[in-house]
Coordinates of all heavy atoms in Angstrom, one line a residue:
M8 N 243.0 18.1 189.0 CA 243.7 16.9 188.5 C 242.7 15.9 187.9 O 243.0 15.3 186.9 CB 244.4 16.2 189.7 CG 245.0 14.9 189.5 SD 246.6 15.3 188.5 CE 247.2 13.7 188.4
V9 N 241.6 15.7 188.6 CA 240.5 14.8 188.1 C 240.0 15.3 186.7 O 239.7 14.5 185.8 CB 239.3 14.6 189.1 CG1 238.2 13.9 188.5 CG2 239.8 14.0 190.4
K10 N 239.9 16.6 186.6 CA 239.5 17.2 185.4 C 240.4 16.8 184.2 O 239.8 16.5 183.1 CB 239.4 18.7 185.5 CG 238.9 19.5 184.4 CD 238.9 21.0 184.9 CE 238.9 21.9 183.7 NZ 238.9 23.3 184.1
W11 N 241.6 16.8 184.4 CA 242.5 16.4 183.3 C 242.5 15.0 183.0 O 242.6 14.6 181.8 CB 244.0 16.8 183.7 CG 244.3 18.2 183.7 CD1 244.4 19.1 184.8 CD2 244.3 19.1 182.5 NE1 244.6 20.4 184.4 CE2 244.5 20.4 183.0 CE3 244.1 18.9 181.2 CZ2 244.6 21.5 182.2 CZ3 244.2 20.0 180.3 CH2 244.4 21.3 180.8
I12 N 242.2 14.1 183.9 CA 242.0 12.7 183.7 C 240.7 12.5 182.9 O 240.8 11.7 181.9 CB 241.9 11.9 185.0 CG1 243.3 12.0 185.7 CG2 241.6 10.5 184.8 CD1 243.3 11.4 187.1
V13 N 239.7 13.2 183.2 CA 238.4 13.1 182.5 C 238.6 13.5 181.0 O 238.2 12.9 180.0 CB 237.3 13.8 183.1 CG1 236.1 13.9 182.3 CG2 237.0 13.2 184.5
V14 N 239.3 14.7 180.8 CA 239.6 15.2 179.5 C 240.4 14.2 178.7 O 240.2 13.9 177.5 CB 240.3 16.6 179.6 CG1 240.8 17.0 178.2 CG2 239.3 17.6 180.2
A15 N 241.4 13.6 179.3 CA 242.3 12.6 178.7 C 241.5 11.4 178.3 O 241.6 10.9 177.1 CB 243.5 12.2 179.5
V16 N 240.6 10.9 179.1 CA 239.8 9.7 178.8 C 238.8 10.0 177.7 O 238.7 9.2 176.8 CB 239.0 9.2 180.1 CG1 238.0 8.2 179.8 CG2 240.0 8.7 181.1
V17 N 238.2 11.2 177.7 CA 237.3 11.6 176.6 C 238.0 11.7 175.3 O 237.6 11.2 174.3 CB 236.6 12.9 177.0 CG1 235.8 13.4 175.8 CG2 235.6 12.6 178.2
L18 N 239.2 12.3 175.3 CA 240.0 12.5 174.1 C 240.4 11.1 173.6 O 240.4 10.9 172.4 CB 241.2 13.4 174.3 CG 240.9 14.9 174.4 CD1 242.2 15.6 174.8 CD2 240.3 15.4 173.1
F19 N 240.9 10.2 174.5 CA 241.3 8.9 174.1 C 240.1 8.1 173.5 O 240.2 7.5 172.4 CB 241.8 8.1 175.3 CG 242.2 6.7 175.0 CD1 243.4 6.5 174.2 CD2 241.4 5.6 175.4 CE1 243.7 5.2 174.0 CE2 241.8 4.3 175.0 CZ 243.0 4.1 174.3
A20 N 238.9 8.3 174.0 CA 237.7 7.7 173.4 C 237.4 8.2 172.1 O 237.0 7.4 171.2 CB 236.5 7.9 174.4
F21 N 237.5 9.5 171.9 CA 237.3 10.1 170.5 C 238.3 9.6 169.5 O 238.0 9.3 168.4 CB 237.4 11.6 170.6 CG 236.1 12.2 171.0 CD1 236.1 13.1 172.0 CD2 234.9 11.9 170.4 CE1 234.9 13.7 172.4 CE2 233.7 12.4 170.8 CZ 233.7 13.4 171.8
V22 N 239.6 9.4 170.0 CA 240.6 8.9 169.1 C 240.3 7.4 168.7 O 240.4 7.0 167.5 CB 242.0 9.0 169.7 CG1 243.1 8.2 168.9 CG2 242.5 10.4 169.8
V23 N 239.9 6.6 169.7 CA 239.5 5.2 169.4 C 238.3 5.2 168.4 O 238.3 4.4 167.5 CB 239.2 4.5 170.7 CG1 238.6 3.1 170.4 CG2 240.5 4.3 171.5
L24 N 237.3 6.0 168.7 CA 236.2 6.1 167.8 C 236.6 6.5 166.4 O 236.1 5.9 165.4 CB 235.1 7.1 168.4 CG 233.9 7.3 167.6 CD1 233.1 6.0 167.5 CD2 233.0 8.4 168.1
A25 N 237.4 7.5 166.3 CA 237.8 7.9 164.9 C 238.6 6.8 164.2 O 238.4 6.6 163.0 CB 238.7 9.2 165.0
L26 N 239.4 6.1 164.9 CA 240.1 5.0 164.3 C 239.2 3.9 163.9 O 239.5 3.1 162.9 CB 241.2 4.5 165.3 CG 242.5 5.4 165.5 CD1 243.3 4.8 166.6 CD2 243.2 5.6 164.2
A27 N 238.1 3.7 164.6 CA 237.2 2.6 164.3 C 236.3 3.0 163.1 O 235.9 2.2 162.3 CB 236.3 2.3 165.5
V28 N 236.0 4.3 163.0 CA 235.1 4.8 162.0 C 235.8 5.0 160.6 O 235.2 4.8 159.5 CB 234.4 6.1 162.4 CG1 233.7 6.8 161.3 CG2 233.4 5.8 163.5
R29 N 237.1 5.3 160.7 CA 237.9 5.6 159.4 C 237.8 4.5 158.4 O 237.5 4.8 157.2 CB 239.3 5.8 159.8 CG 240.2 6.2 158.7 CD 241.6 6.6 159.1 NE 242.4 6.8 157.9 CZ 243.3 5.9 157.5 NH1 243.5 4.8 158.2 NH2 244.0 6.2 156.4
P30 N 237.9 3.1 158.7 CA 237.8 2.2 157.6 C 236.4 2.1 157.0 O 236.3 1.9 155.8 CB 238.1 0.8 158.3 CG 238.8 1.2 159.5 CD 238.4 2.6 159.9
V31 N 235.4 2.3 157.8 CA 234.0 2.3 157.2 C 233.9 3.6 156.3 O 233.3 3.4 155.2 CB 233.0 2.4 158.4 CG1 231.6 2.6 157.8 CG2 233.1 1.2 159.2
L32 N 234.3 4.7 156.7 CA 234.3 5.9 155.8 C 235.0 5.8 154.5 O 234.6 6.2 153.5 CB 234.7 7.1 156.6 CG 233.8 7.5 157.8 CD1 234.4 8.7 158.5 CD2 232.4 7.8 157.3
T33 N 236.1 5.1 154.6 CA 237.0 4.9 153.3 C 236.3 3.9 152.4 O 236.5 4.0 151.2 CB 238.4 4.4 153.7 OG1 238.3 3.2 154.3 CG2 239.1 5.4 154.4
R34 N 235.4 3.1 152.9 CA 234.7 2.1 152.0 C 233.4 2.6 151.5 O 232.8 1.9 150.7 CB 234.5 0.8 152.8 CG 235.8 0.0 153.1 CD 235.5 -1.4 153.6 NE 236.7 -2.1 153.9 CZ 237.1 -2.6 155.0 NH1 236.2 -2.5 156.1 NH2 238.2 -3.2 155.2
L35 N 232.9 3.7 152.0 CA 231.6 4.2 151.6 C 231.4 4.4 150.1 O 230.4 4.0 149.5 CB 231.3 5.5 152.3 CG 230.8 5.3 153.7 CD1 230.5 6.7 154.4 CD2 229.5 4.4 153.8
P36 N 232.4 4.9 149.3 CA 232.2 5.0 147.9 C 232.0 3.7 147.2 O 231.2 3.5 146.3 CB 233.5 5.8 147.4 CG 234.0 6.5 148.6 CD 233.6 5.6 149.8
R37 N 232.8 2.7 147.6 CA 232.7 1.3 147.0 C 231.3 0.7 147.4 O 230.7 0.1 146.5 CB 233.8 0.4 147.4 CG 235.1 0.7 146.7 CD 236.1 -0.3 147.0 NE 236.6 -0.1 148.4 CZ 237.2 -1.0 149.1 NH1 237.5 -2.2 148.6 NH2 237.7 -0.7 150.3
L38 N 230.9 0.9 148.6 CA 229.6 0.4 149.1 C 228.4 1.1 148.3 O 227.5 0.5 147.9 CB 229.4 0.7 150.5 CG 230.3 -0.2 151.5 CD1 230.1 0.2 152.9 CD2 229.9 -1.7 151.3
R39 N 228.6 2.4 148.0 CA 227.6 3.1 147.3 C 227.5 2.6 145.8 O 226.4 2.4 145.3 CB 227.8 4.6 147.3 CG 226.8 5.4 146.6 CD 227.0 6.9 146.8 NE 225.9 7.7 146.4 CZ 225.7 8.0 145.1 NH1 226.6 7.8 144.2 NH2 224.6 8.8 144.8
R40 N 228.6 2.3 145.2 CA 228.7 1.8 143.8 C 228.0 0.4 143.8 O 227.2 0.0 142.9 CB 230.1 1.8 143.3 CG 230.6 3.1 142.8 CD 231.9 2.9 142.0 NE 233.0 2.3 142.8 CZ 233.9 2.9 143.6 NH1 233.8 4.2 143.7 NH2 234.8 2.2 144.1
A41 N 228.3 -0.4 144.8 CA 227.8 -1.7 144.9 C 226.3 -1.7 145.1 O 225.5 -2.5 144.5 CB 228.4 -2.5 146.0
A42 N 225.8 -0.7 145.9 CA 224.4 -0.6 146.1 C 223.7 -0.2 144.8 O 222.6 -0.7 144.5 CB 224.1 0.4 147.2
M43 N 224.3 0.7 144.1 CA 223.7 1.2 142.8 C 223.7 0.0 141.8 O 222.7 -0.2 141.1 CB 224.5 2.3 142.3 CG 224.5 3.6 143.1 SD 222.9 4.3 143.3 CE 222.6 5.0 141.7
A44 N 224.7 -0.8 141.8 CA 224.7 -2.0 140.9 C 223.6 -3.0 141.3 O 222.9 -3.5 140.4 CB 226.1 -2.6 140.9
L45 N 223.4 -3.2 142.6 CA 222.4 -4.1 143.0 C 221.0 -3.5 142.7 O 220.1 -4.3 142.3 CB 222.5 -4.3 144.5 CG 223.7 -5.2 145.0 CD1 223.7 -5.2 146.5 CD2 223.5 -6.6 144.4
Q46 N 220.8 -2.2 142.8 CA 219.5 -1.6 142.4 C 219.3 -1.8 140.9 O 218.2 -2.1 140.5 CB 219.5 -0.2 142.7 CG 219.3 0.1 144.2 CD 219.3 1.6 144.6 OE1 219.7 2.4 143.8 NE2 218.9 1.9 145.8
G47 N 220.4 -1.7 140.1 CA 220.2 -1.9 138.6 C 219.8 -3.4 138.4 O 218.9 -3.7 137.6
R48 N 220.4 -4.3 139.1 CA 220.1 -5.7 138.9 C 218.7 -6.0 139.4 O 218.0 -6.8 138.8 CB 221.1 -6.6 139.6 CG 222.4 -6.6 138.9 CD 223.3 -7.7 139.4 NE 224.5 -7.6 138.7 CZ 225.5 -8.5 138.8 NH1 225.4 -9.5 139.7 NH2 226.6 -8.4 138.1
Q49 N 218.2 -5.3 140.4 CA 216.9 -5.5 140.9 C 215.9 -5.0 139.9 O 214.9 -5.7 139.7 CB 216.7 -4.7 142.2 CG 215.3 -4.9 142.8 CD 215.1 -4.0 144.1 OE1 215.9 -3.1 144.4 NE2 214.0 -4.3 144.7
A50 N 216.2 -3.9 139.2 CA 215.3 -3.5 138.2 C 215.2 -4.4 137.0 O 214.1 -4.7 136.5 CB 215.8 -2.1 137.7
E51 N 216.4 -5.0 136.7 CA 216.4 -6.0 135.5 C 215.6 -7.2 135.9 O 214.9 -7.8 135.1 CB 217.9 -6.4 135.3 CG 218.7 -5.3 134.6 CD 220.1 -5.7 134.5 OE1 220.5 -6.9 134.8 OE2 220.9 -4.9 134.1
A52 N 215.7 -7.6 137.2 CA 215.0 -8.8 137.7 C 213.5 -8.6 137.7 O 212.7 -9.4 137.3 CB 215.5 -9.2 139.0
E53 N 213.1 -7.4 138.0 CA 211.7 -7.0 138.0 C 211.2 -7.0 136.5 O 210.1 -7.5 136.3 CB 211.5 -5.6 138.6 CG 210.0 -5.2 138.6 CD 209.1 -6.0 139.4 OE1 209.6 -6.7 140.4 OE2 207.9 -5.9 139.2
A54 N 211.9 -6.5 135.6 CA 211.5 -6.5 134.2 C 211.4 -7.9 133.7 O 210.5 -8.3 133.0 CB 212.5 -5.7 133.4
L55 N 212.4 -8.8 134.1 CA 212.3 -10.2 133.7 C 211.1 -10.9 134.3 O 210.4 -11.7 133.6 CB 213.6 -10.9 134.1 CG 214.8 -10.6 133.3 CD1 216.0 -11.3 133.9 CD2 214.6 -11.0 131.8
R56 N 210.8 -10.5 135.6 CA 209.6 -11.1 136.2 C 208.3 -10.7 135.4 O 207.4 -11.6 135.2 CB 209.5 -10.7 137.6 CG 208.3 -11.4 138.4 CD 208.1 -10.7 139.8 NE 207.7 -9.4 139.7 CZ 206.5 -8.9 139.4 NH1 205.5 -9.8 139.1 NH2 206.2 -7.6 139.4
V57 N 208.2 -9.5 135.0 CA 207.0 -9.0 134.3 C 206.9 -9.7 133.0 O 205.9 -10.2 132.5 CB 207.1 -7.5 134.1 CG1 206.0 -7.0 133.1 CG2 206.9 -6.8 135.4
S58 N 208.1 -9.9 132.3 CA 208.1 -10.6 131.0 C 207.7 -12.0 131.2 O 207.0 -12.6 130.3 CB 209.5 -10.5 130.4 OG 209.9 -9.2 130.0
A59 N 208.3 -12.7 132.2 CA 207.9 -14.1 132.5 C 206.4 -14.2 132.8 O 205.8 -15.2 132.3 CB 208.7 -14.6 133.6
E60 N 205.8 -13.4 133.5 CA 204.4 -13.4 133.7 C 203.6 -13.3 132.5 O 202.6 -14.0 132.2 CB 204.0 -12.3 134.7 CG 204.4 -12.6 136.2 CD 204.1 -11.5 137.2 OE1 203.5 -10.5 136.7 OE2 204.3 -11.7 138.4
A61 N 204.0 -12.3 131.6 CA 203.3 -12.1 130.3 C 203.5 -13.4 129.5 O 202.5 -13.8 128.8 CB 203.9 -10.9 129.6
L62 N 204.6 -14.0 129.4 CA 204.9 -15.2 128.7 C 204.0 -16.3 129.2 O 203.4 -17.1 128.5 CB 206.3 -15.5 128.7 CG 206.8 -16.7 127.9 CD1 206.5 -16.5 126.4 CD2 208.3 -17.0 128.1
Q63 N 203.9 -16.4 130.6 CA 203.1 -17.5 131.1 C 201.6 -17.3 130.7 O 200.9 -18.3 130.4 CB 203.2 -17.4 132.7 CG 202.3 -18.4 133.4 CD 202.8 -19.8 133.3 OE1 204.0 -20.0 133.1 NE2 201.8 -20.7 133.4
E64 N 201.1 -16.1 130.8 CA 199.7 -15.8 130.3 C 199.5 -16.2 128.9 O 198.5 -16.8 128.5 CB 199.4 -14.3 130.6 CG 199.3 -14.0 132.1 CD 199.1 -12.5 132.3 OE1 198.9 -11.7 131.3 OE2 199.1 -12.1 133.4
R65 N 200.5 -15.8 128.1 CA 200.4 -16.2 126.6 C 200.4 -17.7 126.4 O 199.6 -18.2 125.6 CB 201.5 -15.5 125.9 CG 201.4 -15.7 124.4 CD 202.5 -14.8 123.7 NE 202.4 -15.1 122.2 CZ 203.4 -15.2 121.4 NH1 204.6 -15.0 121.9 NH2 203.2 -15.4 120.1
A66 N 201.3 -18.4 127.2 CA 201.3 -19.8 127.1 C 200.0 -20.5 127.5 O 199.5 -21.4 126.8 CB 202.5 -20.4 127.9
E67 N 199.4 -19.9 128.6 CA 198.1 -20.4 129.0 C 197.0 -20.2 127.9 O 196.1 -21.0 127.7 CB 197.7 -19.8 130.3 CG 198.6 -20.3 131.5 CD 198.3 -19.5 132.8 OE1 197.5 -18.6 132.8 OE2 199.0 -19.8 133.8
A68 N 197.1 -19.0 127.3 CA 196.1 -18.7 126.2 C 196.3 -19.6 125.1 O 195.3 -20.1 124.5 CB 196.2 -17.3 125.8
M69 N 197.5 -19.9 124.7 CA 197.7 -20.8 123.6 C 197.4 -22.2 123.9 O 196.8 -22.9 123.0 CB 199.3 -20.8 123.2 CG 199.7 -19.4 122.6 SD 201.4 -19.4 122.1 CE 201.4 -20.5 120.6
Q70 N 197.5 -22.6 125.2 CA 197.1 -24.0 125.6 C 195.6 -24.1 125.4 O 195.1 -25.1 125.0 CB 197.5 -24.2 127.0 CG 197.1 -25.6 127.6 CD 197.8 -26.7 126.8 OE1 198.9 -26.5 126.4 NE2 197.0 -27.8 126.7
G71 N 194.9 -23.0 125.8 CA 193.4 -23.0 125.6 C 193.0 -23.1 124.1 O 192.1 -23.8 123.8
Q72 N 193.8 -22.4 123.3 CA 193.5 -22.5 121.8 C 193.8 -23.9 121.3 O 193.1 -24.4 120.5 CB 194.4 -21.5 121.1 CG 194.0 -20.1 121.3 CD 194.9 -19.1 120.6 OE1 195.9 -19.4 120.1 NE2 194.4 -17.8 120.5
V73 N 194.9 -24.6 121.8 CA 195.2 -25.9 121.4 C 194.1 -26.8 121.8 O 193.7 -27.7 121.0 CB 196.6 -26.3 122.0 CG1 196.8 -27.8 121.9 CG2 197.7 -25.6 121.4
E74 N 193.6 -26.7 123.0 CA 192.5 -27.6 123.4 C 191.3 -27.4 122.6 O 190.6 -28.3 122.3 CB 192.2 -27.4 124.9 CG 193.4 -27.8 125.9 CD 193.2 -27.4 127.3 OE1 192.2 -26.6 127.6 OE2 194.1 -27.7 128.1
L75 N 190.9 -26.1 122.3 CA 189.8 -25.8 121.5 C 190.0 -26.5 120.1 O 189.1 -27.1 119.5 CB 189.6 -24.3 121.4 CG 188.4 -23.9 120.4 CD1 187.1 -24.4 121.0 CD2 188.4 -22.4 120.3
T76 N 191.2 -26.3 119.5 CA 191.4 -26.9 118.2 C 191.3 -28.4 118.2 O 190.8 -29.0 117.3 CB 192.8 -26.4 117.7 OG1 192.9 -25.0 117.7 CG2 193.2 -26.9 116.3
Q77 N 191.8 -29.0 119.3 CA 191.7 -30.5 119.4 C 190.3 -30.9 119.5 O 189.9 -31.9 118.9 CB 192.5 -31.0 120.6 CG 194.0 -30.9 120.4 CD 194.8 -31.3 121.7 OE1 194.2 -31.3 122.8 NE2 196.0 -31.6 121.5
R78 N 189.5 -30.2 120.2 CA 188.1 -30.5 120.3 C 187.4 -30.4 118.9 O 186.6 -31.2 118.5 CB 187.3 -29.7 121.3 CG 187.7 -30.0 122.8 CD 186.7 -29.4 123.7 NE 186.7 -27.9 123.7 CZ 187.4 -27.2 124.4 NH1 188.2 -27.7 125.4 NH2 187.3 -25.8 124.4
R79 N 187.7 -29.3 118.2 CA 187.1 -29.1 116.9 C 187.5 -30.2 115.9 O 186.7 -30.7 115.1 CB 187.5 -27.7 116.4 CG 186.8 -26.6 117.0 CD 187.2 -25.3 116.4 NE 186.5 -24.2 117.0 CZ 186.8 -22.9 116.8 NH1 187.8 -22.6 116.0 NH2 186.2 -22.0 117.5
L80 N 188.8 -30.6 116.0 CA 189.3 -31.6 115.2 C 188.7 -33.0 115.5 O 188.3 -33.7 114.6 CB 190.9 -31.8 115.4 CG 191.6 -32.8 114.5 CD1 191.4 -32.5 113.0 CD2 193.0 -32.8 114.8
A81 N 188.4 -33.2 116.7 CA 187.7 -34.4 117.1 C 186.3 -34.4 116.6 O 185.8 -35.5 116.1 CB 187.7 -34.6 118.7
V82 N 185.6 -33.3 116.6 CA 184.2 -33.2 116.1 C 184.2 -33.4 114.6 O 183.4 -34.2 114.0 CB 183.6 -31.8 116.4 CG1 182.3 -31.5 115.7 CG2 183.4 -31.7 117.9
I83 N 185.2 -32.8 113.9 CA 185.3 -33.0 112.4 C 185.5 -34.5 112.1 O 184.9 -35.0 111.2 CB 186.4 -32.1 111.9 CG1 186.0 -30.7 111.9 CG2 186.8 -32.5 110.4 CD1 187.1 -29.6 111.6
K84 N 186.5 -35.1 112.8 CA 186.8 -36.6 112.6 C 185.5 -37.4 112.9 O 185.3 -38.3 112.2 CB 187.9 -37.0 113.4 CG 189.3 -36.6 112.9 CD 190.4 -37.1 113.8 CE 191.7 -36.7 113.3 NZ 192.8 -37.3 114.1
A85 N 184.8 -37.0 113.9 CA 183.6 -37.8 114.3 C 182.5 -37.7 113.2 O 181.8 -38.6 112.8 CB 183.0 -37.3 115.6
K86 N 182.4 -36.5 112.6 CA 181.4 -36.3 111.5 C 181.8 -37.1 110.2 O 180.9 -37.5 109.5 CB 181.3 -34.8 111.2 CG 180.6 -34.0 112.2 CD 180.4 -32.5 111.8 CE 179.6 -31.7 112.8 NZ 179.5 -30.3 112.5
R87 N 183.1 -37.2 110.0 CA 183.6 -37.9 108.8 C 183.5 -39.4 109.1 O 183.7 -40.2 108.1 CB 185.0 -37.5 108.5 CG 185.1 -36.1 107.9 CD 186.5 -35.9 107.5 NE 186.7 -34.6 106.9 CZ 187.8 -34.1 106.5 NH1 189.0 -34.7 106.7 NH2 187.9 -32.9 106.0
G88 N 183.4 -39.8 110.3 CA 183.3 -41.3 110.6 C 184.6 -41.9 110.8 O 184.8 -43.1 110.6
H89 N 185.6 -41.2 111.2 CA 186.9 -41.8 111.4 C 187.1 -42.2 112.8 O 187.0 -41.8 113.8 CB 188.1 -40.8 111.0 CG 188.2 -40.6 109.5 ND1 188.8 -41.4 108.7 CD2 187.7 -39.5 108.7 CE1 188.7 -41.0 107.5 NE2 188.1 -39.8 107.5

């Protein structure tokens, strides 16, 4: 008698577990697609970060060139007496 009660409880637990897992399993394909889309966006963000760093370096180099040009212009103006 106890054996049948234990079997019934175990079977009931498996049924409850199956009912709880079913919604998750039905959503897995959508979750996978969403994960793939997020990975794509992550790659795009990484590419944008690399581009932004390169642009920042170029802007800093140009700023150095501007400062050098301004110093040269000041020297030329000083030589001319302006």
Side-chain angles (χ1 to χ4, degrees):
M8 180 71 176
V9 173
K10 182 175 158 181
W11 289 109
I12 294 173
V13 171
V14 169
V16 169
V17 170
L18 286 176
F19 180 73
F21 277 130
V22 169
V23 170
L24 178 64
L26 290 174
V28 169
R29 185 174 172 254
V31 174
L32 292 178
T33 59
R34 290 189 179 126
L35 281 179
R37 283 188 286 164
L38 290 173
R39 185 172 190 275
R40 284 192 300 270
M43 297 297 287
L45 287 175
Q46 285 178 345
R48 288 192 179 184
Q49 180 183 13
E51 290 174 9
E53 179 65 21
L55 286 173
R56 184 190 63 79
V57 169
S58 296
E60 287 176 356
L62 185 60
Q63 177 70 28
E64 290 174 7
R65 186 170 178 220
E67 290 171 0
M69 289 182 74
Q70 180 64 32
Q72 289 177 350
V73 166
E74 291 170 359
L75 178 63
T76 302
Q77 287 175 341
R78 285 194 301 265
R79 286 180 180 171
L80 184 59
V82 169
I83 291 171
K84 283 184 179 180
K86 286 183 179 179
R87 290 186 178 173
H89 290 281

